[in-house]
Amino acid sequence: MKKLYLVSLFSLFLLGRLSAQEKTLSKQDAVNLALENNFGIKVAKNQVEIAENNQGILNSGYLPTLTGNASANYQRDDSTFEFPGQFLRDSETGETQLDASGNPVPRPDAELYKAEAQRYNANLTANYTLFDGLGRLYNYKRLKEQYQLSELQARETIENTMLQLFSVYFEVARLYENAHVLRQALEISKQRITRAEYAFDYGQNTKLDILNAQVDVTNDSINLLNVKQQLANTKRDLNVVLSQNLNEDYAVDTLIRFTPKLRLEEFVSQAKMNNVALLLTERNLKINEYDIKVNQSGYLPSLDLNGSYGWNLNNNAPSAFFPGVTVNNRRNFTLGARLTWNLFDGGGTTVRVKNSKIAYENQELLKKQIELEVNRDIQNALAIYENRLNIFKIQEQNVLTNQNNFERSKEQFQLGRITSIEFRQAQINLLNAQTNKNLAKYDAKLAELQLLQLTGQLLNIEF
């Protein structure tokens, strides 16, 4: 038993040394790491960057298009031209020439060997839409709204990640404090063994007191080991949120500051202007409004301007009729305009306009529903926060009461006026009060953060 006691003391000493060497991960440091490393936040930022590219002038349709084309062709022919039924004629008289027998002289075959031809051409074509029924204008405004929508979606992702971060961070902090409480309880139980052994040696108690103390040491040791395991697992959960090495070790900040009541009431009164869910519905409503106008542009004509500049060079090979090489070098420049008006497209534009108006009405209904739900969620979150804060204050007072009770029980136990079982009960009551206070403290703070998210102020406070 003495050997086990020495090993336990050495383990506690080593654990204390290691805890002292751990770096402290403050709340703000955790926030900064999450903003920098969290994969979900990185994806959200990339989506914002895509939306920013889409809403730029290069994707607006307001710029002209310029197309260049060029080609080169090479051709080689070996040809034989026959003239059946044709006869040679005298160049002066034009009469058919006769041979010695008086027969007409046939026209001989013509042959072309290695007749080469080259063709080159290049052109530039420019097109510009001068008017397209205002569809381009409203689509450009729609892309601007889409960019703002993506920013709000990224903000929503960050807020959700912050809540996830602090739910795990506070769990680590709670387990840290619980581990500290359990170490104190274990130390007190070990002191009881020493005291019971001394008392037994002097005949002041029985072996049963030593056995009771040993049982309590065993239970406290198991409880501490379980909390340490939970703490290690929860740290790995936090490292996942922070997207860092799973075995990264650190201590956390257990100090909690609550937002003043007056400031919280101000946040609640301004929730309608700052709640991200309401802002998202407004952006979607604006996008649906532009969709209607984009589809209505199909009723109007479009006017396009175009121009081109071209160059062609043809080196033609000799032929039977043109024995020499011919060269054709040509340049041309054209300008034009085209007016297009789709007078009737089978009703497609009308259907699209009607559907976009219905989508707009649905978005209005959805906005009213979300407004109602957000108001409900804020009132519920405020009530939950106030209730948990009151529970925390009660638990704080309960710890003080149990601390006083434990100190008096300790004095009475040392004087031999109460039994070890009664002393142990006072110790358990204090342990439960302390762990309940820890739970109530972090529950209240997490409820406050959930309320701040609903009011749209989660990213505007100091953690």
Side-chain angles (χ1 to χ4, degrees):
M1 178 57 64
K2 289 184 178 179
K3 182 177 180 182
L4 176 61
Y5 176 64
L6 291 176
V7 171
S8 300
L9 282 179
F10 176 76
S11 300
L12 286 173
F13 172 76
L14 182 60
L15 182 61
R17 289 289 303 274
L18 291 175
S19 298
Q21 294 175 0
E22 287 178 341
K23 64 180 181 180
T24 300
L25 179 68
S26 68
K27 301 182 189 70
Q28 192 59 51
D29 290 339
V31 170
N32 294 338
L33 284 173
L35 291 176
E36 181 180 355
N37 299 328
N38 183 267
F39 296 124
I41 292 178
K42 285 184 176 181
V43 171
K45 289 180 178 179
N46 287 338
Q47 294 296 336
V48 172
E49 189 173 350
I50 290 174
E52 184 178 7
N53 293 334
N54 289 337
Q55 60 110 28
I57 189 66
L58 296 178
N59 193 45
S60 66
Y62 278 105
L63 298 180
T65 62
L66 182 63
T67 305
N69 292 294
S71 65
N73 293 291
Y74 170 80
Q75 181 178 348
R76 171 183 162 175
D77 294 326
D78 295 326
S79 305
T80 300
F81 301 93
E82 297 180 355
F83 305 95
Q86 297 186 24
F87 306 96
L88 289 177
R89 294 180 181 275
D90 188 272
S91 60
E92 294 181 359
T93 63
E95 294 181 356
T96 301
Q97 296 181 10
L98 302 175
D99 58 13
S101 302
N103 296 320
V105 179
R107 184 174 178 178
D109 296 341
E111 293 185 354
L112 291 177
Y113 181 65
K114 292 185 178 179
E116 297 179 342
Q118 299 89 30
R119 295 180 180 86
Y120 307 95
N121 66 78
N123 67 79
L124 289 174
T125 303
N127 288 284
Y128 181 69
T129 300
L130 190 63
F131 180 75
D132 68 340
L134 300 178
R136 177 176 52 183
L137 171 64
Y138 292 119
N139 187 62
Y140 184 59
K141 291 183 177 181
R142 184 186 184 280
L143 291 173
K144 293 286 186 183
E145 291 294 332
Q146 192 70 43
Y147 170 68
Q148 296 182 22
L149 179 69
S150 66
E151 284 189 320
L152 289 173
Q153 290 170 339
R155 172 186 153 187
E156 184 180 38
T157 299
I158 293 174
E159 287 182 356
N160 291 333
T161 303
M162 290 300 104
L163 276 183
Q164 180 188 11
L165 167 67
F166 281 108
S167 65
V168 182
Y169 186 94
F170 290 153
E171 182 64 11
V172 172
R174 184 183 73 86
L175 292 172
Y176 252 111
E177 292 193 304
N178 286 355
H180 177 68
V181 170
L182 289 171
R183 288 190 193 99
Q184 291 179 330
L186 179 59
E187 184 62 28
I188 291 172
S189 297
K190 290 179 181 297
Q191 292 173 2
R192 276 181 54 207
I193 290 181
T194 303
R195 182 178 181 82
E197 288 176 345
Y198 283 140
F200 179 76
D201 292 341
Y202 288 99
Q204 297 179 355
N205 60 13
T206 65
K207 187 69 174 178
L208 181 62
D209 291 326
I210 298 176
L211 295 175
N212 286 335
Q214 290 174 350
V215 170
D216 292 339
V217 167
T218 301
N219 291 331
D220 291 343
S221 299
I222 293 173
N223 292 335
L224 179 58
L225 287 174
N226 287 333
V227 169
K228 286 169 60 179
Q229 182 61 56
Q230 293 175 16
L231 180 59
N233 293 343
T234 310
K235 279 186 177 181
R236 281 189 281 271
D237 293 338
L238 184 56
N239 286 329
V240 169
V241 178
L242 299 178
S243 299
Q244 62 179 7
N245 188 343
L246 293 180
N247 296 320
E248 189 75 23
D249 202 9
Y250 41 77
V252 295
D253 183 10
T254 59
L255 180 63
I256 294 297
R257 299 182 182 88
F258 292 98
T259 304
K261 184 176 181 180
L262 290 177
R263 192 180 181 195
L264 206 57
E265 291 175 350
E266 180 184 355
F267 290 160
V268 172
S269 65
Q270 298 174 355
K272 190 173 181 179
M273 296 182 295
N274 299 315
N275 179 271
V276 68
L278 293 177
L279 295 176
L280 284 170
T281 58
E282 291 177 1
R283 294 275 75 78
N284 281 319
L285 195 62
K286 197 67 176 177
I287 289 173
N288 287 127
E289 181 181 344
Y290 286 134
D291 284 339
I292 296 175
K293 295 179 178 179
V294 168
N295 289 323
Q296 287 175 336
S297 67
Y299 291 128
L300 299 177
S302 62
L303 178 61
D304 296 328
L305 303 178
N306 57 77
S308 66
Y309 175 80
W311 168 76
N312 293 273
L313 175 63
N314 294 331
N315 292 326
N316 296 314
S319 65
F321 302 98
F322 300 95
V325 175
T326 60
V327 178
N328 183 7
N329 191 347
R330 184 177 62 179
R331 293 175 175 84
N332 60 76
F333 177 74
T334 61
L335 287 175
R338 182 179 64 181
L339 178 66
T340 304
W341 196 339
N342 195 347
L343 298 177
F344 182 70
D345 63 350
T349 299
T350 301
V351 171
R352 287 191 293 271
V353 171
K354 288 182 178 179
N355 289 341
S356 60
K357 288 182 178 179
I358 295 173
Y360 181 82
E361 293 176 2
N362 287 340
Q363 192 62 40
E364 284 186 320
L365 295 173
L366 182 61
K367 180 181 178 181
K368 292 179 181 179
Q369 178 184 355
I370 291 178
E371 285 178 348
L372 188 62
E373 291 175 350
V374 167
N375 289 333
R376 176 206 63 192
D377 293 342
I378 290 176
Q379 293 183 26
N380 289 345
L382 182 60
I384 291 172
Y385 167 66
E386 291 175 345
N387 182 62
R388 290 183 179 179
L389 191 60
N390 290 331
I391 291 175
F392 171 57
K393 293 177 180 178
I394 293 173
Q395 292 292 357
E396 281 187 315
Q397 185 60 45
N398 189 38
V399 168
L400 295 177
T401 301
N402 279 277
Q403 185 69 47
N404 292 332
N405 178 64
F406 174 74
E407 294 297 335
R408 295 193 55 149
S409 298
K410 185 178 180 180
E411 293 176 0
Q412 296 294 318
F413 176 68
Q414 291 175 349
L415 294 174
R417 295 177 180 176
I418 63 174
T419 65
S420 61
I421 296 176
E422 293 173 316
F423 174 75
R424 177 63 176 177
Q425 187 60 50
Q427 183 185 13
I428 291 175
N429 290 339
L430 176 60
L431 178 64
N432 291 336
Q434 289 172 325
T435 55
N436 288 336
K437 185 203 76 170
N438 293 338
L439 178 61
K441 177 173 68 171
Y442 295 114
D443 278 350
K445 185 60 181 179
L446 194 58
E448 179 191 284
L449 294 183
Q450 291 170 339
L451 177 61
L452 289 172
Q453 182 196 23
L454 290 170
T455 60
Q457 301 293 337
L458 182 60
L459 304 181
N460 300 328
I461 63 169
E462 294 183 2
F463 297 102

